Amino acid sequence: MTRSPEVFGKTVDEHTRCVHFATELDIIAIRFACCDRYYPCHLCHSETADHPSEQWPRDRWDQKVILCGACWSEMSIETYKATDSCPECAAPFNPRCAAHSDLYFARR
């Protein structure tokens, strides 16, 4: 399987886990609105990017910016927020990621 796209930051394995979040369920990466690059988490972005992060505005939640680290399929924010697992491969996602949602996605 060809991996695409590239994930930046302090990844620790081929499933996009990073030094900050590395449980069995931590398998997504987010393409940041500010730089159009995938990172495993906000901490990876803060530590390696040369600019502050920006939230995805609500009117752009239909864009495919979430990457499943199990099958490497991309999904929209709307799809990601409506499910607990990848729609393509059924790999479960970490439900605790919702606690950080406001760091990535604007409410309005």
Side-chain angles (χ1 to χ4, degrees), residues 12-102:
V12 296
D13 70 12
E14 69 278 7
H15 299 290
T16 76
R17 291 180 187 93
C18 68
V19 297
H20 308 105
F21 299 99
T23 73
E24 186 72 20
L25 300 177
D26 290 314
I27 60 165
I28 65 131
I30 300 166
R31 183 163 38 106
F32 277 67
C34 48
C35 55
D36 202 34
R37 287 183 163 193
Y38 275 103
Y39 288 89
C41 75
H42 63 99
L43 297 170
C44 284
H45 182 276
S46 294
E47 292 174 358
T48 60
D50 62 357
H51 58 272
S53 64
E54 295 176 14
Q55 295 173 313
W56 280 100
R58 182 67 182 92
D59 64 348
R60 295 179 63 199
W61 283 16
D62 61 335
Q63 294 186 24
K64 291 185 175 186
V65 301
I66 307 295
L67 181 69
C68 174
C71 70
W72 291 82
S73 65
E74 295 177 282
M75 68 198 86
S76 70
I77 297 165
E78 291 169 334
T79 299
Y80 171 69
K81 290 179 78 65
T83 189
D84 294 329
S85 60
C86 178
E88 293 296 319
C89 70
F93 297 147
N94 190 338
R96 295 186 323 212
C97 289
H100 302 122
S101 184
D102 289 348

